[in-house]
Amino acid sequence: MQLFYYKDEVGNFGDDLNPWLWPKLLPQLIDDDASELLVGIGTLLNHRLPEDKILHIVGSGVGYGHLPQVTDKWKIHALRGPYSAQALNLDPQLAVTDSALLLRNVMEPQHLESGDVGFMPHYLSCRSADWQNIAQACGLRFISPEWSVERVFAEMAQCRLLLTEAMHGAIVADALRLPWKALVLGEHVNRHKWQDWLSTVNMTYQPLQLPSYFHHASGLVAGAKDELKRQLQSLGLGKHWYPPKPRNSGGKRRAQVCRSLTDIARQVQGELSQEQQQNHLLTRLNQSLEQLHN
């Protein structure tokens, strides 16, 4: 069977876990046969799923796009969480957890008690502001979700705590027993998918909000076009236009963001799910893998 996952043109850690992890877990099953698809890590259960393929659902969930029509071609081994099961009107017992937890089958939990405080924004935040420079100014270890999976793992291994806006940053940190804390840097965070996963580990989504900050490295022409669009929309024109990028934040806002981030890194207590619950969920996911072989 082939892997079905979202392929970002630059890279996104959560999605890119798929080609890294599944061939290690299922080396005899992952091949070029496109008649069956493995739908694993990611918010993939939407209208974009092929309707003419056999779909093996292992730990994926809803959250983006339109809800799909569940058909007899769906072989549901595990859903990401109870929100996904409810949204699709499926048996709540199908809710297990996000299948990124399966990396515990191929990696040992690891982090440094005396390590750095890591900082991983959402990949869209990385494209709207210079968060790497801010993190470095605050003394944090910047970890981009656009980097390779191996590099992200290597950077996380040097941390004692991970501040993350990226959900799979938290899921992987939790799997590897690295304490983490959720942050919100922008409006693109999908709270439903976070809670979908967190419900399976008996936790709730309680992120810390940083002041909004934008710094687009666009040229003068693109910046002028965005400003013109803002002016016209303020006059009631172009209501159906794609919204322009926000104006770049000034130095005062940048300093405010850096102070907030520094305070969080100094004061926050990291979170972890209970080991017993994680082991229980890992057992259930491994049972799903056994089903794939049958």
Side-chain angles (χ1 to χ4, degrees):
M1 67 181 72
Q2 286 187 354
L3 294 177
F4 180 90
Y5 65 99
Y6 177 71
K7 301 177 181 67
D8 185 80
E9 60 182 7
V10 177
N12 182 32
F13 176 62
D15 301 310
D16 296 343
L17 283 169
N18 285 286
W20 184 90
L21 180 60
W22 292 111
K24 293 178 173 60
L25 297 171
L26 303 169
Q28 287 81 34
L29 294 184
I30 304 302
D31 54 29
D32 296 326
D33 181 2
S35 64
E36 298 187 41
L37 303 178
L38 176 60
V39 184
I41 302 168
T43 307
L44 302 169
L45 305 186
N46 56 40
H47 64 284
R48 298 182 182 89
L49 284 170
E51 298 180 356
D52 59 340
K53 313 283 188 181
I54 295 175
L55 306 177
H56 293 276
I57 314 297
V58 187
S60 192
V62 303
Y64 298 131
H66 305 299
L67 290 175
Q69 181 67 41
V70 179
T71 71
D72 58 4
K73 289 185 176 295
W74 284 46
K75 311 301 178 185
I76 304 174
H77 306 280
L79 294 171
R80 182 171 61 202
Y83 174 78
S84 293
Q86 182 179 26
L88 296 170
N89 196 29
L90 294 170
D91 184 350
Q93 294 300 315
L94 292 171
V96 181
T97 196
D98 192 288
S99 48
L101 177 60
L102 285 165
L103 67 87
R104 282 287 297 269
N105 287 358
V106 298
M107 292 182 66
E108 292 293 329
Q110 56 181 313
H111 68 277
L112 290 180
E113 294 289 349
S114 60
D116 298 329
V117 175
F119 173 66
M120 180 187 287
H122 190 280
Y123 78 100
L124 290 176
S125 290
C126 291
R127 299 172 191 180
S128 64
D130 55 335
W131 287 108
Q132 182 168 5
N133 291 331
I134 291 177
Q136 291 171 348
C138 297
L140 306 182
R141 179 180 287 268
F142 178 77
I143 304 175
S144 174
E146 297 179 328
W147 291 344
S148 70
V149 170
E150 291 86 355
R151 184 176 179 185
V152 172
F153 284 150
E155 295 291 333
M156 290 175 66
Q158 301 303 311
C159 297
R160 69 176 187 275
L161 170 70
L162 180 68
L163 306 177
T164 178
E165 187 185 30
M167 185 182 75
H168 279 94
I171 293 173
V172 168
D174 199 71
L176 299 179
R177 306 283 82 189
L178 168 64
W180 57 272
K181 183 62 183 178
L183 300 179
V184 172
L185 312 178
E187 298 179 355
H188 42 254
V189 174
N190 187 319
R191 294 172 181 262
H192 290 298
K193 73 175 190 178
W194 269 89
Q195 191 55 53
D196 196 29
W197 162 61
L198 284 167
S199 295
T200 68
V201 291
N202 303 321
M203 299 173 72
T204 56
Y205 185 52
Q206 298 178 314
L208 299 175
Q209 176 81 51
L210 263 71
S212 58
Y213 175 76
F214 301 96
H215 184 83
H216 303 280
S218 54
L220 292 176
V221 174
K225 287 182 178 179
D226 279 332
E227 184 60 33
L228 177 60
K229 187 182 288 187
R230 278 190 287 267
Q231 295 292 335
L232 292 174
Q233 288 184 331
S234 70
L235 298 174
L237 302 175
K239 294 181 179 179
H240 302 294
W241 293 346
Y242 190 80
K245 295 176 181 177
R247 291 187 178 94
N248 281 349
S249 303
K252 184 176 181 181
R253 173 53 64 89
R254 189 181 190 280
Q256 180 186 5
V257 169
C258 197
R259 285 195 302 271
S260 297
L261 191 55
T262 301
D263 289 342
I264 289 172
R266 183 186 305 118
Q267 301 171 9
V268 73
Q269 296 294 316
E271 301 180 34
L272 278 179
S273 67
Q274 293 295 315
E275 182 80 14
Q276 182 178 5
Q277 177 66 5
Q278 191 184 91
N279 290 338
H280 168 69
L281 296 174
L282 183 58
T283 297
R284 292 192 63 190
L285 285 176
N286 281 324
Q287 291 170 349
S288 298
L289 296 188
E290 293 175 5
Q291 293 172 9
L292 287 170
H293 285 284
N294 296 331

